[in-house]
Amino acid sequence: MHAGPARGTGTEENPRTQQDEPIAVVGIAALYPAARGVADYWRLLTQGEQQAGESRLRTDLPAEPEGQGLGDIEIDVARFGIPPAQAASMARMQLLMLEAARQCLSDAGYAERPLPSARTDVVTGTCFGLDRQYANAARVESSRYARSLEQALNAVGGSGAAVGSAAAEEFRSAALKRFGASPHDRIGEMASTIPARVAAAFRLRGRTLALEAADATSYLSVAHAMDSLRTGVTDTVLVLTGQCREGRLPPYALAAKGLLPAGAAGADAPAPAALGEGVGALLLKRLSSASQDGDRVYAKLLDCTLRHDTRRGVFRYSASADRYREAAAESWRRVDRPRAAAQYLECTGNDPRLAAGACADAQDGAAPSVAVGSVRDRLGHTFANIGLAAVSKVALALHHRTIPPLRTAAWGEEPDAPGPSLRAPRDSEEWRPPPDGSPRRAAVSGASLTGGLCHLIMEEHREAAEPAATVTAVPASGRPRWRGNAPEPVAVVGFGGRFADTADAGAFWDVTLSGRDRIRPVPEALLERDLYHSPSALSLNRSYAEYGAPMEVPETPPAGLRIPPARFSELDATQRVGLTVAAELFARPGLSAGTLTGAGLVAVGSNLGLSRERHLNTALCPDLFEELVGSLDALAGWSGQELEPLLKSLREPNGGAQQLDSPGGLDGCLASGIAALVANEFGIAAVPVAVEAACASSLAAVDLAVSRLRTGSVDYALAGGVELPCNARDMVLCSALGLLSHEKITPFDESADGFSPGDGCALFLLKRYGDARRDGDPIHGLLRGVGASNDAKSLIAPDVAGQVRAMEQAFEQVDFGPEAVDYLESHGTGTRVGDQVEAAAVRQVYGQPGRRPLEIGSGKSFFGHTFAAAGAAGLLRTLLAMRSGTLPATTNLRSSPAGLELDRIPARISTHSRPWCTGPGRPRRAGVSSFGTGGINYHLLLEEYTDSHGL
């Protein structure tokens, strides 16, 4: 959107631009085993040295976290307006983040009064599976175990055969109770439901999305929040990140990678203390907004620089001192502050000595010694949360003007101390101001096991002496703005796609032109009908639907990638598909991975709980199934000696401890691993992140990429989405809520009764328009605006007002109106309510008497609903249509219901492709919509590139 003047009323000698305005931390929440609020957290951080004899800080075996965990926190769901029917299906993390959000808003002074602006984004970060994801996967898998149990009992003969059927049926019922079962399980388990629930509870109507970037998750979340504030698409951002020990897989996989003690991950062993638990929150605003709103400011965020150390093979932390130095130097360059100005360094990465060395080099030997700390000395490694825990710690330290102690032997006493300018304080000490009168400043350094490096710079806020900035609304990068005050377009310079029965984007377009869908009965290998299909009625453990658009998953790496077969087999199916589509993208004429220079981003829309992770976690839990067998009334007369051979016979075919001793075992379980594999295997220095915004995940990933490009944080971005929902788990969970079509999805048709799942992936290589022109890149289209909102109402039902806000926000970023748009690629889920709500929103925004009829279409009619990849599928279809000058058809449409009122727009839905004609000198323009469960709404505006374009 056009960024209007910020709200500050004061002046300063050198006015800042909005894109480098400091970001104010105005609220903090902290939930940790030994700290249940901000005051507790500060007390924990300022406690002195532990008992004598404690070893210096080690990252392979972090300190014992204070307390046992967060399981004893009681949260009243009623205070957040959660219906009882949905409460049982909610992930525990959802409850903890709701409480953290409440505490953070209260800490900022908004407990009894609303935020001044409803444009408040909610960004959450987690890593590994959530408890409900693991429980739902085990519940679905229990049907297979029940069948094996019946077969094993029948094989025993005699008394076993007599009770086989009864025991299996009793086992199924017991599993439903043991793992929980609700029609709302599919919604309750989704990571994106967490920010959506927070938005609904506190009436926040900005963007809502969930991120995962391994242990760089917090830093990506904060960086995205800063981008959104500085580009003016939001006024406030609530950032929440959390990590809990929710399944058995993470300890196994972390131990195999050498990040936890090898003996700590046994199935019967307690969860290792090294993987700490914690949930935290920050409320962020532009400094000028905070000043006008009268907020208390803990500290200012000046910069969050993210870089990636690209290395092929298994994921591992960077060991390059040069990469650490480059990230630190770039961060100081971006804030234009003296590099010797930091008095404190907080380290959260795997090797704090590398971070300390980079800081020492930045001091140039001219500054007094820098105090060094690590929040891991109190919390252990809280993984997805660790960066936010560190930022909260430093914000509090700047606010209290106190440097907390480091609970390790001082580095200065160690033989391998990084340098004389660094020290580890033993006790809390006053943070004295720099002799030159400049503000107190600190740096936070982090790293990710996928290769990411993070450097964040913070500064104290002096309320009495620091007037609010006068902020102008032009870029800090100095780049010209487009067409008036519209921001510079983002060019699509590469693309690739793979969907049902299509090996590449060209075949995808051929299917569209053919007019024939690719939806059919899902193969038996993906949906075992005797276990998971029952067409008669709604069920909690069976799907009434069997139609979908499945994809063939690659069995070998793309040509040119040297990935050993053993490692490729460890990857999740979505990771293999992502690599294949990226290979297609880089194989296009005029483009290769080797031409990409500078800093990049790979943002992939995805389900944050991958199928491989869920499967392996279930395989590590045979004892849970065996406990159920031992409790069955049908086997009450069986002795332990009789049961043991039976249970033993079930362990091999149904799992048991998997081969997780490989260092690459964890890699196939990380959603951000899709992006990390693309970055590492193609050798591009791009920070990887997974994005989930339900069915709008792809456009959320594109939005994140556009924000990073427009703030100058990256030079290029690869963005898109991938998901493979044609499987028993997804079909069972969606069927329980009545979302699936009994046959084929038919968007905007009178017979619409739900959607058909479809597998898919599409990726796009993006650059700023000026850079693409300078580099001579092929420009396939221009992204002009991306709008987003949350309707803050229902987690299930779509909302007209929320969709309208997303569309209007997109148009606020461009210099043309809705009447200039020729085509709309709709979300088009094929549900009666969803289609009617979408049509109503389109009427409000695009409706205009006398305009040329708006052409509306939906690619889901050909390839089904590809969930996290849905927005990417829509963008790909629209891009190809624009390039070929063809308006694409919607198939299987027989008659649209009168309730759509398309004539009031006016609009039409064509069942045959036809030429896309525009007036002389006018580029083709299109909108792409993607809406997700939880009230998540995204709308993107795409424009044809012509030779007449210019800066």
Side-chain angles (χ1 to χ4, degrees):
M1 76 189 300
H2 167 50
R7 296 183 176 80
T9 56
T11 61
E12 62 179 6
E13 187 172 303
N14 297 308
R16 299 185 184 281
T17 64
Q18 183 164 297
Q19 292 198 2
D20 70 357
E21 183 181 4
I23 302 302
V25 178
V26 301
I28 299 176
L31 293 175
Y32 297 96
R36 302 302 166 84
V38 176
D40 285 349
Y41 189 48
W42 182 239
R43 281 193 291 269
L44 174 66
L45 295 171
T46 51
Q47 291 173 357
E49 185 71 69
Q50 283 186 317
Q51 297 298 318
E54 180 190 31
S55 64
R56 64 183 175 88
L57 180 66
R58 292 177 55 198
T59 54
D60 58 335
L61 184 58
E64 177 80 22
E66 305 279 351
Q68 297 300 311
L70 300 178
D72 62 333
I73 297 180
E74 296 185 4
I75 299 170
D76 180 11
V77 298
R79 79 185 307 171
F80 299 112
I82 299 171
Q86 297 180 16
S89 66
M90 293 173 59
R92 172 69 175 167
M93 183 64 73
Q94 190 174 146
L95 293 171
L96 291 171
M97 286 195 172
L98 277 167
E99 176 61 19
R102 184 193 67 79
Q103 289 192 14
C104 187
L105 292 170
S106 177
D107 180 64
Y110 295 105
E112 304 298 332
R113 61 188 177 110
L115 285 161
S117 170
R119 295 198 319 159
T120 298
D121 291 359
V122 183
V123 181
T124 63
T126 62
C127 190
F128 307 123
L130 302 174
D131 57 353
R132 284 312 310 167
Q133 293 174 345
Y134 290 141
N136 292 338
R139 189 190 93 213
V140 173
E141 185 64 22
S142 68
S143 292
R144 188 185 310 280
Y145 193 95
R147 181 178 65 183
S148 298
L149 174 63
E150 182 174 2
Q151 292 171 345
L153 286 169
N154 290 339
V156 170
S159 60
V163 299
S165 178
E169 189 58 36
E170 186 183 353
F171 179 89
R172 292 186 184 95
S173 298
L176 288 178
K177 295 179 181 178
R178 171 63 179 81
F179 300 113
S182 162
H184 298 278
D185 283 337
R186 172 63 180 167
I187 296 172
E189 73 166 16
M190 296 168 64
S192 59
T193 301
I194 301 175
R197 180 77 73 180
V198 171
F202 299 101
R203 312 302 296 170
L204 311 177
R205 294 184 172 86
R207 288 159 162 78
T208 56
L209 68 158
L211 303 179
E212 188 263 287
D215 34 353
T217 298
S218 288
Y219 296 101
L220 260 299
S221 301
V222 169
H224 178 54
M226 295 175 70
D227 286 344
S228 297
L229 289 164
R230 285 174 167 171
T231 56
V233 298
T234 192
D235 296 319
T236 313
V237 183
L238 178 60
V239 180
L240 302 117
T241 64
Q243 191 72 59
C244 288
R245 299 189 289 265
E246 303 189 75
R248 292 181 179 176
L249 176 67
Y252 268 94
L254 288 168
K257 199 171 276 288
L259 304 179
L260 292 183
D268 297 325
L275 184 60
E277 293 196 331
V279 177
L282 297 175
L283 190 65
L284 305 178
K285 293 184 178 183
R286 291 181 293 272
L287 181 61
S288 53
S289 299
S291 298
Q292 174 173 315
D293 297 340
D295 295 315
R296 179 257 340 267
V297 177
Y298 281 109
K300 298 179 294 185
L301 305 178
L302 303 183
D303 177 70
C304 186
T305 291
L306 304 166
R307 292 295 181 263
H308 188 70
D309 186 7
T310 302
R311 291 189 294 176
R312 293 178 173 86
V314 298
F315 299 159
R316 55 201 184 278
Y317 291 97
S318 173
S320 170
D322 288 341
R323 301 290 86 79
Y324 273 87
R325 281 193 291 268
E326 290 166 5
E330 173 65 13
S331 189
W332 284 110
R333 184 195 68 78
R334 288 171 59 85
V335 302
D336 194 27
R337 298 291 203 278
R339 292 197 299 166
Q343 299 92 48
Y344 178 76
L345 172 66
E346 175 73 14
C347 303
T348 68
N350 197 53
D351 192 340
R353 293 179 176 279
L354 285 175
C359 180
D361 291 343
Q363 302 304 318
D364 295 327
S369 63
V370 175
V372 181
S374 176
V375 75
R376 289 173 64 163
D377 68 347
R378 312 296 166 115
L379 306 178
H381 190 3
T382 58
F383 225 76
N385 166 263
I386 193 64
L388 192 140
V391 172
S392 299
K393 172 185 175 181
V394 175
L396 289 168
L398 286 167
H399 181 67
H400 291 286
R401 298 179 179 178
T402 300
I403 294 178
L406 177 66
R407 282 186 174 178
T408 69
W411 272 327
E413 297 177 4
E414 296 292 332
D416 56 346
S421 62
L422 298 168
R423 61 187 178 84
R426 294 291 190 103
D427 295 297
S428 297
E429 58 185 55
E430 179 187 357
W431 191 333
R432 299 182 181 277
D436 62 0
S438 61
R440 298 169 177 84
R441 297 188 186 116
V444 181
S445 176
S448 164
L449 66 83
T450 55
L453 296 171
C454 320
H455 198 269
L456 189 147
I457 299 175
M458 301 178 65
E459 184 176 277
E460 74 171 325
H461 178 61
R462 298 173 173 176
E463 293 189 44
E466 185 169 353
T470 295
V471 181
T472 58
V474 299
S477 64
R479 298 181 182 277
R481 295 178 78 82
W482 189 248
R483 294 213 287 244
N485 289 314
E488 182 181 7
V490 170
V492 180
V493 300
F495 60 89
R498 189 180 182 97
F499 295 82
D501 300 336
T502 66
D504 55 28
F508 171 86
W509 183 240
D510 289 341
V511 170
T512 297
L513 295 179
S514 75
R516 296 189 297 273
D517 69 73
R518 290 300 183 265
I519 301 170
R520 59 187 182 274
V522 173
E524 188 72 15
L526 299 175
L527 183 69
E528 297 178 75
R529 284 162 175 74
D530 66 322
L531 291 180
Y532 300 118
H533 182 229
S534 178
S536 58
L538 292 179
S539 168
L540 292 176
N541 56 7
R542 289 178 179 268
S543 171
Y544 58 79
E546 60 174 339
Y547 278 77
M551 174 198 300
E552 185 175 343
V553 177
E555 294 294 331
T556 57
L561 294 188
R562 299 178 180 177
I563 303 177
R567 173 162 171 74
F568 198 71
S569 67
E570 289 180 324
L571 302 181
D572 186 79
T574 57
Q575 296 175 333
R576 291 185 235 165
V577 170
L579 281 171
T580 303
V581 173
E584 176 201 344
L585 183 154
F586 288 123
R588 292 196 172 276
L591 189 67
S592 72
T595 65
L596 297 177
T597 59
L601 174 78
V602 183
V604 179
S606 165
N607 186 324
L608 297 193
L610 299 187
S611 293
R612 176 176 171 80
E613 181 196 17
R614 301 186 197 209
H615 171 72
L616 290 178
N617 190 79
T618 301
L620 291 171
C621 304
D623 56 309
L624 300 183
F625 289 158
E626 292 175 7
E627 288 175 8
L628 292 179
V629 173
S631 68
L632 298 180
D633 291 338
L635 301 178
W638 288 49
S639 67
Q641 288 183 325
E642 291 173 303
L643 280 176
E644 182 54 34
L646 174 69
L647 297 176
K648 184 177 180 181
S649 70
L650 294 171
R651 286 173 195 150
E652 288 189 12
N654 287 284
Q658 299 292 304
Q659 299 299 315
L660 287 174
D661 55 351
S662 164
L666 177 65
D667 300 358
C669 299
L670 290 173
S672 62
I674 305 169
L677 281 162
V678 171
N680 291 336
E681 299 302 328
F682 287 96
I684 57 177
V687 175
V689 60
V691 182
E692 199 211 300
C695 303
S697 297
S698 295
L699 292 194
V702 170
D703 182 44
L704 188 152
V706 168
S707 294
R708 297 250 84 197
L709 286 164
R710 284 180 169 167
T711 58
S713 301
V714 298
D715 301 301
Y716 61 89
L718 199 66
V722 57
E723 190 160 358
L724 310 177
C726 290
N727 61 72
R729 184 198 71 240
D730 284 314
M731 294 184 72
V732 167
L733 296 181
C734 290
S735 176
L737 203 55
L739 299 176
L740 301 182
S741 171
H742 288 78
E743 291 190 358
K744 294 184 177 183
I745 181 175
T746 55
F748 303 111
D749 192 77
E750 188 71 45
S751 64
D753 68 341
F755 61 79
S756 305
D759 297 341
C761 176
L763 298 174
F764 307 89
L765 183 59
L766 309 176
K767 284 187 176 181
R768 287 179 290 269
Y769 173 69
D771 292 350
R773 293 257 300 195
R774 177 200 64 199
D775 297 338
D777 294 317
I779 299 178
H780 305 290
L782 300 175
L783 305 183
R784 297 297 313 277
V786 187
S789 73
N790 188 285
D791 60 46
K793 286 187 177 180
S794 169
L795 295 185
I796 303 173
D799 176 70
V800 173
Q803 294 181 15
V804 166
R805 279 195 297 274
M807 294 177 188
E808 290 178 341
Q809 189 181 84
F811 279 104
E812 289 171 356
Q813 300 171 33
V814 300
D815 52 3
F816 57 85
E819 72 283 352
V821 173
D822 311 303
Y823 175 71
L824 172 63
E825 175 69 18
S826 68
H827 188 58
T829 58
T831 63
R832 184 65 63 89
V833 174
D835 289 350
Q836 291 188 349
V837 166
E838 185 168 7
V842 173
R843 283 199 304 273
Q844 286 196 31
V845 177
Y846 285 89
Q848 182 175 324
R851 65 157 291 157
R852 294 178 58 186
L854 176 69
E855 192 75 32
I856 297 178
S858 173
K860 291 182 179 66
S861 63
F862 288 89
F863 296 100
H865 192 344
T866 53
F867 289 37
L875 177 55
L876 179 62
R877 182 171 129 108
T878 308
L879 186 71
L880 293 170
M882 193 170 280
R883 292 178 74 239
S884 68
T886 303
L887 289 166
T890 296
T891 192
N892 297 327
L893 180 68
R894 293 173 178 82
S895 64
S896 295
L900 295 181
E901 299 183 290
L902 298 180
D903 57 327
R904 291 178 53 193
I905 297 175
R908 63 189 173 202
I909 304 173
S910 296
T911 56
H912 296 88
S913 298
R914 53 193 188 81
W916 186 341
C917 301
T918 62
R922 189 172 73 82
R924 298 177 175 92
R925 296 187 178 108
V928 180
S929 286
S930 195
F931 310 128
T933 302
I936 300 172
N937 310 296
Y938 276 83
H939 191 72
L940 179 148
L941 294 173
L942 181 70
E943 184 173 272
E944 177 187 20
Y945 169 70
T946 66
D947 291 338
S948 63
H949 279 95
L951 292 176

